[in-house]
Amino acid sequence: MLAILPYTDALAPAFREINAAWIADMFTLEPHDEHVLSHPREAIIDQGGVILFVAHPDHGVIGAGALMPTGGGAYELTKMGVRADIRGSGAGAVLLDALITAARALPDLTALYLLTNSACAAAIHLYERAGFVHDADIRARYGATYARCDVAMRLPQG
């Protein structure tokens, strides 16, 4: 049985490790990545964001994801990854569902969006199944955050 865990400073190294691994495997860690992964409390939690972890009873923390406020009630679903040796287990879907539930509970939420790359086909499929839609306006407004961004999606309200 998978469990969802809230952020604690003790879990900050797992947040960095999980995300740095998949980013470095597919892309290059950019300065924005380095800042967020090295300072998750400052960059996300202290700004009113959320970081959640998914844990497996035999493997410990296997995934992490965040909701990072970007102004005006908009939140970026970001730094969501699952350890490579656990991918395909359904942990990503469980984590994504928990993050969407957490986002809907935010009192100031006006938009939930994500930025990714077309090389992340399995993740894009997961986001589409969860209801995210491709959005050119989101890409125009936020896509420059990462050099690797060529896909932007938002979750319709309601």
Side-chain angles (χ1 to χ4, degrees):
M1 188 73 168
L2 298 175
I4 298 296
L5 306 175
Y7 177 84
T8 65
D9 290 334
L11 291 174
F15 181 71
R16 177 176 179 72
E17 179 183 311
I18 290 164
N19 282 290
W22 77 260
I23 296 169
D25 184 49
M26 296 185 73
F27 307 105
T28 300
L29 281 168
E30 298 179 31
H32 181 72
D33 298 316
E34 286 288 355
H35 174 72
V36 171
L37 295 178
S38 296
H39 308 285
R41 173 168 290 287
E42 173 190 320
I44 299 171
I45 301 297
D46 290 349
Q47 303 306 313
V50 174
I51 299 174
L52 297 177
F53 298 86
V54 60
H56 184 281
D58 298 326
H59 302 287
V61 172
I62 58 171
L67 303 170
M68 185 166 58
T70 56
Y75 286 78
E76 179 186 358
L77 175 74
T78 189
K79 303 300 181 266
M80 188 175 129
V82 173
R83 282 185 5 209
D85 61 322
I86 304 293
R87 287 186 197 136
S89 68
V94 170
L95 179 59
L96 179 58
D97 183 58
L99 287 163
I100 291 170
T101 298
R104 287 184 172 143
L106 294 167
D108 64 335
L109 180 71
T110 59
L112 178 61
Y113 70 93
L114 61 90
L115 306 171
T116 190
N117 184 280
S118 54
C120 301
I124 291 169
H125 183 65
L126 176 68
Y127 301 139
E128 289 170 341
R129 280 196 336 245
F132 281 84
V133 296
H134 296 262
D135 190 299
D137 180 58
I138 293 292
R139 183 158 180 230
R141 289 171 59 197
Y142 302 106
T145 304
Y146 305 98
R148 65 181 174 265
C149 175
D150 67 357
V151 173
M153 303 175 82
R154 68 172 171 76
L155 187 65
Q157 298 282 6

